[in-house]
Amino acid sequence: MWMEGSQMRKFALVLLLTIPSMIGHAGEGMWLPDQLPKIGAALEAAGLQTPPENFADLTGDPMGAIVSLGGCSASFVSPEGLVVTNHHCSYGTIQFNSTEEFNLLDDGFLAAGHEDELAGAPGSRVYVTESFSDVTDRVLAVIPADADGSARFAAVENAKKAIIAECEKTPGHRCKVASFFGGAAYRLYDQLEIRDVRLVYAPASSIGKYGGDIDNWMWPRHTGDFSFLRAYVGRDGLPADPSPDNVPYRPKHWLAIGVDGVEAGDFVMIAGFPGRTNRYRLASEVEDAIEWTYPQRVQRRRESLEIIERETAGRPQAALAYAAWISYMNNSMKNAEGMEAGFAYSHSVARKRALEAELATWIAADPDRQARWGDALDELEAVLAEQRMNRARNMELSSLKFNQLVSAATTAYRLAREREKPDAERKLGYQERDMRRTRARMARMARSFDARVDMTLLEHTLDGYAALPEAEHVEMLDEWFGLGGDVDPETAIKTTLHGMYTATALTDSAARMALLDADRATLEASDDPFVEFAVAMYDTNLELEAEDEALEGRLMEARPMFIEALLAYQTAHGVEIYPDANGTLRVTFGNVMGYQPRDAVVYLPFTTAEGVAEKATGEEPFNAPVPLLEAIAAADYGPYASEAIGSVPVDFLSDVDTTGGNSGSATLDDQGRLVGLLFDGNWESMISDWDFLPEVTRSIHADVRYMLWVMDRIDHAWNLLDEMGVEPAFNGASPTEGR
Amino acid sequence: MWMEGSQMRKFALVLLLTIPSMIGHAGEGMWLPDQLPKIGAALEAAGLQTPPENFADLTGDPMGAIVSLGGCSASFVSPEGLVVTNHHCSYGTIQFNSTEEFNLLDDGFLAAGHEDELAGAPGSRVYVTESFSDVTDRVLAVIPADADGSARFAAVENAKKAIIAECEKTPGHRCKVASFFGGAAYRLYDQLEIRDVRLVYAPASSIGKYGGDIDNWMWPRHTGDFSFLRAYVGRDGLPADPSPDNVPYRPKHWLAIGVDGVEAGDFVMIAGFPGRTNRYRLASEVEDAIEWTYPQRVQRRRESLEIIERETAGRPQAALAYAAWISYMNNSMKNAEGMEAGFAYSHSVARKRALEAELATWIAADPDRQARWGDALDELEAVLAEQRMNRARNMELSSLKFNQLVSAATTAYRLAREREKPDAERKLGYQERDMRRTRARMARMARSFDARVDMTLLEHTLDGYAALPEAEHVEMLDEWFGLGGDVDPETAIKTTLHGMYTATALTDSAARMALLDADRATLEASDDPFVEFAVAMYDTNLELEAEDEALEGRLMEARPMFIEALLAYQTAHGVEIYPDANGTLRVTFGNVMGYQPRDAVVYLPFTTAEGVAEKATGEEPFNAPVPLLEAIAAADYGPYASEAIGSVPVDFLSDVDTTGGNSGSATLDDQGRLVGLLFDGNWESMISDWDFLPEVTRSIHADVRYMLWVMDRIDHAWNLLDEMGVEPAFNGASPTEGR
């Protein structure tokens, strides 16, 4: 698209409004909702028009509308339990309902009425946060005075289990104890767990995943990354298993739609469930991530993707089975590449080292501080150094879990062993409360498994394990695969695996599901090679787990001590601190703004519908639908065009602070109305898991105006618009008629 | 580089000043200097501060300083004949003086004094335009009333030769008759031809060619594309062959250096020698270029480059020989690719068709116009259609000329035949006046020839020829290479070529040079296979030439008729017309400005020194010299930084209208001072040979401040700065000291 002069002028003005230093760096910070009143001045400066206290009430407006899908965020947008989230957050459900003939990924889907809505993929959930409370004292109180790492870990785990069990006495609730600042504080979150979640509407992937893995993490972006689900409960209003008898859930609050969207410089706010950040990690940990973790990850993901591509070539059913997995792997690989690129210019390690030096000076300057925190950094470094010693082995062993048959058998046998104990004494993850998730995970496998791919990936992992130095080998694993001595490891692995995959019955989905109910004796008597493998590895796995937990327990002591010192130092310098993301509900706020990615290049904050056409090649992932391109060519935008932008805005940038888990979060305007959906970070934001760079860290949002325009003009989702209180503009008009 | 807020703000303001529509589209137009007074209002609106009449005087200030190098433009910048041009315009001379041990391409070169200056590559020239005059009447008067194509072509050629011969009676002068508007008008240009041109200074290629073929035609750009030559003449002040006795030429005018440069929005003007544009071609011609010419060119260049790379692998001497050729081929290929990309969005064909339809309507609306031009378009289309019939064959045959041995022998034999005629009757290009160029071309071959590469390229060309349909074959060529019947053409070609390259003596440079002086009988008696081939092909070549000339002659009648109609139409609509570029002196003016290359992306008009460091990888072509990177890291910019830009500007964009041949042109400010050197167009400007798109067509200039900073701070070219009247800022200061 080649802008006309008048539009260029507008863009220049828009840009002028988007310069961070002119409106302050609101962006950094994933705040706890109850912190917001404390930073009211910053919120007001950024442009919030409502009292920040409103956001501290989780059951009020708008926070009562914000939900988690487990891994993604979402929000209610109607009193009938209609939920809006990203297309990529519903991808598993869309894929689950797709077949070669009836491919919802390709074609999109719109339910004409409630009765046409499609089942969510097994394990689909909507979590409505009802309350939270501080349980730090309860957790810390149970730790014995001179506990070692293992004892500390066990004590904390037991305290968490007890607190959760108490909380989950309320039917239909799911509770979680989250740790903050590395274990310095704990909170209990009580959520309603809605488990009948249905697909209502998704545009075609050629809109919802437009640009695919090529554009992923990139700006300019033109992805219509939105979809709609609906939460259903039993007639009694309580969560229930999926059933035709269920009725739509009626949330206490739902978001109003800000049909006019936002413009450059405007305030925006994100409420959602960011998964994990590492902002308070040491310089040495960042360095380790840069030099070891991410390069390893890039290489491993690339190899796995090559294997999947090769092994599914010409096998569309197998390719479909791995579509979501490929998405995940590409995403993870590109993320790691972005990390490497980002660290190359961020100077994160140097800045962390400088901060650590300042902190050390500050501690040493006061005897009390010296007594309390003088050893904190060294002690933390010592545990971390020990943890790093096994990182290569641990990475190979954790790759084993990506193998679906190994994972199925290992899970089943562990479950059988745990079930021998009273429920309260079982490990977290193996209690009765976890069984639904475990079953769902196993059920999902039916649609995302192919024995040939599975075996080839496992073979590759084991070849990597075999290449580790002798000292890092695990005896039982060597024994099982016949490694060691003069044996050629690749041949031994290939031979053993071929035998296992030939003999196993677990390639059958029903057989895998049945395993979950088998008791210890049955499993130990099984001659299925994967079950035999799981039984053989059981003691080894427990030992490795105990080693990990002992280190984790030591970290639970060392890290809070360091962070306590750091917080004291920051507080002494007047800095308000937010905790690292940990999957709990957070609010971040900032402003719509572009950035300068490199010398002489400026990225504007909004992309336009014309930009969709500009990228269209007809080839996936740039295969924009013809009706969409026709509507763009005709500029048939109705009320959804922004005058300032001169088109329908497709996606936009802001400096809000988000990470994985925030996907699908409602983007709220200064009145708390929905004006977009967060769905990604820019390339430069990759390292924001470790370090927030105000000049370049940006989040990417799907604009509500593109969402509404596509729903109205292209997909005729007039029923949903009505339900959200938005009057359709194209309802009744011929799709080929201009207006 | 991640801009600080204060710099970002500046960039935003800069951008605001760069929006085309706010300052008018000055850019389009390669004006004849004598046209400038007629468009004085437009020049004034764009910001020119001096009377436009100044530019109409070719021997005045500043036009008297503007020179041609033959293929590049340049300008005098001192009274001692110092010439500034692009690094890439001196590339042949730098390469000519480079050896494996003493590699000026890698290391750069600075002559400490006149005595250290290095010889230009054979054929190096500086052309100083002394005057021009309109000779249309003299040329057209000799065309017989009902001449056919051949007769018309011959009459025009004879008229040109007579006019040139008369003009060149003045010793040391070179004259040229240029045709305008397809043959509607002719002008005689009289130039002083200085033929002792020496290399004075060139930065290392890691500055002068920074970004290489990757960044070529691209923005953002960080190339220091400048170098200095010096023109020498005999002690009598007249042009002379290179000799130690020669003295620096003393030009009548030289440019003042605008040390403060320009800022966004400022007026800039380019005076130089653009080679060729096709702005008045028909829609059908543009379509042919899009669908046939450029795709063909891309494919052929790519194949040639692959051959050169393969055949020079591990042979550094051969690789060095083809360095300039590779540059040329890459450039040409990327240009053709840019054409394809540009035509994809420019709608040039549709706009031309619309214009042709409007023109037809306008002609038909008036009986006089109808009588005069009613058939003009159809007649032109008819000749063009005929010309297109042989395009595939002609492309293969013209590729033959890229073969150096074929070309040497063919030129020598043609020369021998032409020399049998009186000089005035010989073909243009084979007269005594052409002999120096011919010898220089042949001499240059000594440094840019490798038999193995030459043979492999020729084999590839002939394989392509052999694959043409039978009807397009040339009898004598088939006969020579034994093509036709059941013969496998590739084998026949390989065998014949192997015999030719084994038997020929022409791989020796002296043998090739000697050929030029051989007479017809000697050549016809030669048993050198390339000479035998040239003799065998002679009649065929003449026949093909006559066919081409007959068509050209018909075009000389048809095209002016169409263009006359078009000009009348445009004039009637108040549009001032500039002629297509034809290698003659032109002036174009516009303003410093960026543009929007695609949705949500804005290119700022200036790159910065920090951007050089941002791109630096240590690997060619991003191997910025360490001292340069250190100086950038220290921001040791002295007076060369722009306050508005916050750094030393490296390159900048403007909307002036330029093309190949303009390279090296002085970029002048509103006072006529040198503020940069034009060296490239942006990617979107590729199609500007056919179509100027005001919103995106941009020229790229090296900024005078980067040039001066590199000369002063990095290369210590203080003698040259003194000579140009610029006071060095770093002279005497330790290079590592800040200022």
Side-chain angles (χ1 to χ4, degrees):
Chain A
M1 176 206 45
W2 305 103
M3 303 299 288
E4 293 304 313
S6 62
Q7 285 170 287
M8 288 284 284
R9 242 192 334 272
K10 281 172 207 152
F11 271 91
L13 293 168
V14 161
L15 181 70
L16 201 62
L17 287 171
T18 65
I19 306 311
S21 62
M22 303 183 77
I23 45 179
H25 287 306
E28 181 173 0
M30 297 175 176
W31 305 97
L32 297 163
D34 47 305
Q35 283 185 292
L36 294 183
K38 283 187 258 179
I39 55 167
L43 282 157
E44 199 181 322
L48 180 65
Q49 299 287 321
T50 58
E53 287 71 20
N54 288 4
F55 291 89
D57 177 6
L58 295 198
T59 55
D61 183 20
M63 299 301 278
I66 307 302
V67 298
S68 167
L69 303 181
C72 272
S73 302
S75 42
F76 287 120
V77 286
S78 92
E80 290 285 307
L82 187 65
V83 169
V84 68
T85 189
N86 290 151
H87 184 271
H88 80 261
C89 292
S90 302
Y91 201 81
T93 282
I94 305 169
Q95 183 186 6
F96 179 81
N97 285 288
S98 289
T99 59
E100 275 183 81
E101 317 89 79
F102 184 50
N103 193 328
L104 306 188
L105 290 174
D106 285 358
D107 305 332
F109 171 75
L110 173 64
H114 291 190
E115 64 287 0
D116 298 312
E117 295 167 1
L118 297 173
S124 295
R125 292 289 183 276
V126 167
Y127 297 98
V128 185
T129 306
E130 301 233 314
S131 69
F132 70 89
S133 53
D134 190 292
V135 293
T136 310
D137 292 345
R138 279 186 69 182
V139 173
L140 298 184
V142 300
I143 301 173
D146 47 3
D148 65 2
S150 301
R152 178 175 294 267
F153 186 92
V156 170
E157 178 160 312
N158 287 333
K160 284 162 129 184
K161 282 193 290 192
I163 294 166
I164 289 168
E166 184 185 312
C167 174
E168 290 186 354
K169 280 179 187 156
T170 318
H173 280 236
R174 182 89 183 169
C175 302
K176 167 175 154 171
V177 174
S179 91
F180 294 80
F181 295 120
Y186 294 87
R187 283 185 177 192
L188 169 67
Y189 286 83
D190 179 7
Q191 298 181 311
L192 193 69
E193 181 184 28
I194 297 175
R195 53 188 197 268
D196 186 351
V197 181
R198 305 183 195 169
L199 180 65
V200 179
Y201 164 62
S205 294
S206 52
I207 290 175
K209 204 176 185 257
Y210 192 63
D213 292 326
I214 295 172
D215 273 6
N216 190 15
W217 307 115
M218 292 291 154
W219 189 258
R221 191 67 161 279
H222 298 86
T223 311
D225 199 350
F226 54 87
S227 67
F228 287 82
L229 305 169
R230 194 182 303 279
Y232 280 82
V233 289
R235 293 186 175 274
D236 56 1
L238 292 178
D241 285 333
S243 156
D245 294 336
N246 289 343
V247 295
Y249 172 72
R250 301 192 64 87
K252 296 189 193 78
H253 293 281
W254 55 94
L255 297 177
I257 307 299
V259 290
D260 295 331
V262 281
E263 303 298 342
D266 282 357
F267 175 92
V268 283
M269 186 169 228
I270 292 288
F273 297 83
R276 182 182 160 132
T277 55
N278 304 313
R279 298 268 170 84
Y280 303 101
R281 293 296 173 97
L282 301 188
S284 66
E285 295 182 89
V286 178
E287 201 165 49
D288 191 51
I290 296 171
E291 289 175 7
W292 196 81
T293 314
Y294 292 113
Q296 281 280 329
R297 185 175 298 170
V298 169
Q299 190 194 329
R300 300 175 81 91
R301 298 288 186 260
R302 181 169 296 124
E303 290 166 356
S304 294
L305 284 165
E306 283 165 5
I307 289 170
I308 295 172
E309 190 182 0
R310 193 176 67 228
E311 300 299 327
T312 60
R315 301 166 63 223
Q317 195 60 44
L320 194 62
Y322 283 86
W325 183 237
I326 288 171
S327 252
Y328 165 78
M329 297 288 268
N330 265 315
N331 192 49
S332 165
M333 182 173 76
K334 203 165 176 182
N335 177 302
E337 288 170 337
M339 292 278 186
E340 293 181 34
F343 281 126
Y345 59 70
S346 69
H347 310 296
S348 304
V349 173
R351 274 189 287 112
K352 290 218 174 243
R353 281 208 201 294
L355 179 63
E356 286 166 21
E358 284 166 29
L359 176 62
T361 307
W362 180 78
I363 291 171
D366 178 286
D368 286 352
R369 297 200 287 253
Q370 180 63 26
R372 189 170 173 80
W373 301 311
D375 298 329
L377 182 61
D378 287 350
E379 282 172 12
L380 179 52
E381 293 279 22
V383 186
L384 292 170
E386 217 171 309
Q387 206 176 34
R388 269 195 283 275
M389 284 173 56
N390 291 321
R391 62 186 182 185
R393 185 197 67 191
N394 290 347
M395 185 170 272
E396 297 297 349
L397 295 181
S398 77
S399 286
L400 270 183
K401 294 181 197 143
F402 285 136
N403 177 269
Q404 304 211 42
L405 298 191
V406 169
S407 169
T410 304
T411 300
Y413 185 61
R414 178 70 181 266
L415 264 174
R417 294 294 293 257
E418 293 288 339
R419 268 197 303 257
E420 294 181 330
K421 302 182 246 177
D423 191 59
E425 287 171 31
R426 297 178 198 163
K427 281 300 268 188
L428 273 176
Y430 298 95
Q431 295 180 296
E432 284 307 321
R433 67 190 286 274
D434 301 307
M435 283 309 296
R436 264 206 204 88
R437 283 189 190 182
T438 306
R439 281 184 205 285
R441 202 168 57 236
M442 204 78 99
R444 274 200 301 273
M445 222 177 109
R447 308 248 179 172
S448 54
F449 173 79
D450 177 80
R452 184 166 130 194
V453 176
D454 200 56
M455 182 174 82
T456 315
L457 287 172
L458 179 55
E459 186 182 338
H460 183 68
T461 296
L462 290 167
D463 288 345
Y465 163 79
L468 287 175
E470 189 57 33
E472 296 184 44
H473 273 232
V474 173
E475 197 184 331
M476 187 51 71
L477 206 53
D478 284 0
E479 198 174 300
W480 182 270
F481 286 100
L483 304 178
D486 297 335
V487 173
D488 171 52
E490 299 201 359
T491 309
I493 289 164
K494 193 184 269 296
T495 308
T496 310
L497 284 181
H498 188 262
M500 289 172 76
Y501 277 85
T502 306
T504 188
L506 298 185
T507 52
D508 176 65
S509 173
R512 290 194 299 269
M513 292 302 293
L515 270 195
L516 292 180
D517 298 312
D519 63 12
R520 177 179 174 181
T522 309
L523 291 171
E524 289 179 358
S526 167
D527 61 358
D528 190 287
F530 282 93
V531 178
E532 288 179 332
F533 176 65
V535 172
M537 287 294 293
Y538 180 76
D539 289 340
T540 300
N541 284 341
L542 281 197
E543 280 161 35
L544 293 170
E545 186 176 280
E547 277 177 34
D548 287 350
E549 288 179 358
L551 279 168
E552 272 304 314
R554 288 168 61 195
L555 275 182
M556 281 176 178
E557 186 175 17
R559 200 184 290 280
M561 191 58 72
F562 167 75
I563 288 186
E564 185 185 279
L566 183 67
L567 294 198
Y569 171 77
Q570 301 279 42
T571 305
H573 289 78
V575 181
E576 178 74 22
I577 303 294
Y578 59 94
D580 264 320
N582 59 357
T584 61
L585 181 58
R586 302 297 178 90
V587 171
T588 176
F589 63 98
N591 300 83
V592 177
M593 65 173 80
Y595 70 107
Q596 183 168 2
R598 57 184 190 279
D599 192 32
V601 180
V602 170
Y603 283 167
L604 300 177
F606 284 95
T607 56
T608 67
E610 284 73 17
V612 173
E614 193 179 289
K615 280 183 179 171
T617 62
E619 298 290 321
E620 200 186 341
F622 297 107
N623 52 339
V626 171
L628 183 79
L629 294 174
E630 287 173 351
I632 293 168
D636 193 11
Y637 298 140
Y640 304 109
S642 152
E643 200 189 328
I645 291 152
S647 181
V648 173
V650 175
D651 294 332
F652 64 89
L653 294 175
S654 78
D655 67 342
V656 298
D657 187 3
T658 61
T659 189
N662 267 125
S663 275
S665 294
T667 306
L668 308 177
D669 68 5
D670 56 10
Q671 311 276 343
R673 292 172 299 213
L674 181 113
V675 290
L677 294 177
L678 183 117
F679 71 98
D680 207 356
N682 64 341
W683 186 242
E684 291 82 357
S685 79
M686 291 303 90
I687 62 160
S688 73
D689 282 359
W690 302 83
D691 198 2
F692 189 93
L693 306 174
E695 298 294 347
V696 296
T697 302
R698 295 291 176 272
S699 291
I700 306 179
H701 313 252
D703 195 292
V704 72
R705 289 161 288 194
Y706 187 59
M707 189 168 101
L708 297 175
W709 180 64
V710 166
M711 292 175 75
D712 187 348
R713 175 65 180 76
I714 307 299
D715 286 339
H716 306 167
W718 300 317
N719 50 340
L720 298 184
L721 294 176
D722 281 335
E723 184 176 343
M724 294 190 292
V726 175
E727 192 184 347
F730 293 89
N731 190 348
S734 154
T736 56
E737 273 177 27
R739 292 176 65 83
Chain B
M1 176 204 46
W2 306 104
M3 303 298 288
E4 292 305 311
S6 63
Q7 285 171 288
M8 287 288 284
R9 245 194 329 273
K10 282 175 204 148
F11 271 90
L13 293 168
V14 160
L15 180 72
L16 201 62
L17 288 170
T18 65
I19 305 313
S21 61
M22 303 183 75
I23 44 180
H25 289 304
E28 182 174 359
M30 297 176 177
W31 304 97
L32 297 163
D34 47 303
Q35 283 186 292
L36 294 184
K38 281 187 260 180
I39 55 166
L43 282 158
E44 198 181 323
L48 180 65
Q49 299 288 321
T50 58
E53 286 73 17
N54 289 4
F55 293 88
D57 177 5
L58 294 199
T59 56
D61 183 21
M63 299 301 278
I66 306 302
V67 299
S68 167
L69 304 181
C72 270
S73 302
S75 42
F76 287 120
V77 285
S78 92
E80 291 285 307
L82 187 66
V83 168
V84 67
T85 187
N86 290 150
H87 184 272
H88 81 262
C89 292
S90 302
Y91 200 81
T93 282
I94 305 169
Q95 183 187 4
F96 179 79
N97 286 288
S98 290
T99 60
E100 273 183 79
E101 316 90 78
F102 185 52
N103 193 327
L104 306 189
L105 290 174
D106 285 358
D107 304 332
F109 171 75
L110 173 64
H114 290 189
E115 64 286 359
D116 299 313
E117 293 167 3
L118 298 172
S124 294
R125 292 288 184 276
V126 167
Y127 296 99
V128 184
T129 305
E130 301 232 314
S131 70
F132 70 88
S133 54
D134 190 292
V135 294
T136 309
D137 291 345
R138 278 186 70 184
V139 173
L140 298 185
V142 300
I143 302 172
D146 49 3
D148 65 1
S150 302
R152 177 175 294 266
F153 186 91
V156 169
E157 178 160 313
N158 287 334
K160 283 163 130 185
K161 282 194 289 191
I163 293 167
I164 289 168
E166 185 185 309
C167 174
E168 290 186 355
K169 280 180 186 155
T170 318
H173 279 235
R174 183 88 185 171
C175 302
K176 167 175 154 172
V177 173
S179 91
F180 294 79
F181 295 120
Y186 292 89
R187 281 185 178 192
L188 169 67
Y189 286 84
D190 180 4
Q191 297 181 313
L192 193 69
E193 181 185 29
I194 297 175
R195 52 188 197 268
D196 186 352
V197 180
R198 304 184 195 169
L199 181 64
V200 178
Y201 163 64
S205 293
S206 52
I207 290 174
K209 203 175 186 258
Y210 193 65
D213 293 325
I214 296 172
D215 272 7
N216 189 18
W217 307 115
M218 290 294 153
W219 189 259
R221 191 69 159 279
H222 298 85
T223 311
D225 200 348
F226 53 88
S227 67
F228 287 82
L229 306 169
R230 194 181 302 281
Y232 280 81
V233 289
R235 293 185 175 276
D236 57 0
L238 292 180
D241 285 335
S243 157
D245 295 335
N246 288 344
V247 295
Y249 172 73
R250 301 192 64 87
K252 296 191 193 75
H253 293 282
W254 56 95
L255 297 177
I257 308 300
V259 290
D260 295 331
V262 282
E263 304 297 342
D266 281 358
F267 175 91
V268 282
M269 184 169 231
I270 292 289
F273 297 83
R276 180 179 160 137
T277 56
N278 305 312
R279 299 267 171 84
Y280 304 101
R281 294 295 173 96
L282 300 187
S284 67
E285 294 181 273
V286 178
E287 201 165 49
D288 191 51
I290 296 171
E291 289 176 5
W292 196 80
T293 314
Y294 292 112
Q296 280 280 329
R297 184 174 299 170
V298 168
Q299 189 193 332
R300 300 174 81 90
R301 297 290 186 256
R302 180 168 295 126
E303 291 166 354
S304 295
L305 284 165
E306 283 165 6
I307 289 170
I308 295 172
E309 189 182 1
R310 194 176 66 229
E311 300 298 327
T312 60
R315 301 166 65 222
Q317 195 59 45
L320 195 62
Y322 283 85
W325 183 237
I326 288 171
S327 251
Y328 165 78
M329 298 287 270
N330 265 314
N331 192 49
S332 166
M333 182 172 78
K334 203 165 176 183
N335 176 303
E337 287 170 337
M339 292 277 187
E340 292 181 34
F343 281 126
Y345 59 69
S346 69
H347 310 297
S348 304
V349 173
R351 274 188 287 111
K352 291 221 174 241
R353 281 209 202 293
L355 179 63
E356 285 165 21
E358 284 165 29
L359 175 62
T361 307
W362 180 78
I363 291 171
D366 177 286
D368 286 350
R369 296 199 289 254
Q370 180 63 26
R372 189 168 172 82
W373 301 309
D375 298 329
L377 182 62
D378 288 349
E379 282 172 12
L380 179 52
E381 292 279 22
V383 185
L384 292 169
E386 217 172 306
Q387 208 178 32
R388 270 196 282 276
M389 283 172 58
N390 291 320
R391 63 185 180 183
R393 185 197 67 190
N394 290 347
M395 184 168 276
E396 297 297 349
L397 295 181
S398 75
S399 288
L400 269 184
K401 292 182 197 146
F402 285 135
N403 178 267
Q404 303 210 42
L405 299 190
V406 168
S407 169
T410 304
T411 302
Y413 185 63
R414 178 70 181 266
L415 264 174
R417 296 293 295 257
E418 292 289 339
R419 269 201 301 260
E420 295 180 329
K421 301 183 248 178
D423 192 59
E425 287 173 30
R426 296 178 198 163
K427 281 301 267 190
L428 271 176
Y430 298 95
Q431 295 178 297
E432 285 306 321
R433 67 189 287 274
D434 301 309
M435 282 309 295
R436 262 206 206 87
R437 284 189 190 183
T438 305
R439 280 184 206 284
R441 200 168 60 237
M442 203 77 99
R444 274 199 301 272
M445 219 176 113
R447 309 245 179 175
S448 55
F449 173 78
D450 176 81
R452 186 166 128 195
V453 177
D454 199 58
M455 182 173 83
T456 315
L457 288 171
L458 179 54
E459 187 183 334
H460 183 70
T461 297
L462 289 166
D463 288 347
Y465 163 79
L468 288 174
E470 190 57 34
E472 297 184 44
H473 274 234
V474 174
E475 196 183 335
M476 185 53 71
L477 206 53
D478 284 1
E479 197 174 299
W480 182 270
F481 286 99
L483 304 177
D486 297 336
V487 173
D488 171 51
E490 299 201 0
T491 308
I493 288 163
K494 194 184 268 295
T495 308
T496 310
L497 283 182
H498 187 263
M500 290 173 78
Y501 276 84
T502 305
T504 188
L506 296 186
T507 52
D508 176 65
S509 172
R512 290 194 300 267
M513 292 304 292
L515 270 194
L516 292 181
D517 298 311
D519 64 10
R520 177 179 177 181
T522 309
L523 292 170
E524 288 179 356
S526 166
D527 60 357
D528 191 286
F530 282 92
V531 178
E532 289 179 333
F533 177 65
V535 172
M537 287 293 292
Y538 181 77
D539 288 342
T540 300
N541 285 338
L542 281 196
E543 279 162 35
L544 293 170
E545 186 176 281
E547 276 178 32
D548 286 349
E549 288 179 359
L551 278 168
E552 272 305 313
R554 287 169 61 196
L555 274 183
M556 282 176 180
E557 186 174 16
R559 200 182 291 278
M561 190 59 73
F562 167 74
I563 289 187
E564 185 184 279
L566 184 65
L567 295 197
Y569 172 76
Q570 300 280 42
T571 305
H573 290 78
V575 180
E576 179 74 24
I577 302 295
Y578 60 94
D580 263 320
N582 59 357
T584 62
L585 182 58
R586 301 297 177 89
V587 171
T588 175
F589 63 98
N591 300 82
V592 177
M593 66 173 80
Y595 70 107
Q596 182 167 3
R598 58 186 191 278
D599 191 32
V601 180
V602 169
Y603 283 167
L604 301 176
F606 285 95
T607 56
T608 66
E610 285 71 18
V612 173
E614 193 178 290
K615 280 183 179 172
T617 61
E619 299 288 319
E620 199 187 342
F622 296 107
N623 52 340
V626 171
L628 183 81
L629 294 175
E630 287 172 351
I632 293 168
D636 193 13
Y637 298 141
Y640 304 109
S642 152
E643 200 189 328
I645 290 151
S647 180
V648 173
V650 175
D651 294 331
F652 65 89
L653 294 174
S654 78
D655 68 341
V656 298
D657 187 2
T658 61
T659 188
N662 266 125
S663 274
S665 294
T667 306
L668 308 177
D669 68 5
D670 56 11
Q671 309 279 343
R673 292 171 299 213
L674 182 114
V675 291
L677 293 178
L678 182 117
F679 72 95
D680 208 357
N682 64 340
W683 186 243
E684 291 82 356
S685 79
M686 290 303 88
I687 63 160
S688 73
D689 282 0
W690 302 83
D691 199 1
F692 189 93
L693 307 173
E695 298 292 348
V696 296
T697 302
R698 295 292 177 271
S699 291
I700 305 180
H701 313 252
D703 194 291
V704 72
R705 289 161 288 192
Y706 187 59
M707 189 167 101
L708 297 175
W709 180 64
V710 166
M711 293 175 76
D712 188 348
R713 174 66 180 76
I714 307 300
D715 285 341
H716 306 166
W718 299 318
N719 52 341
L720 297 184
L721 293 177
D722 281 334
E723 183 176 344
M724 294 191 294
V726 175
E727 191 185 347
F730 291 90
N731 190 347
S734 153
T736 57
E737 275 176 25
R739 295 175 60 86

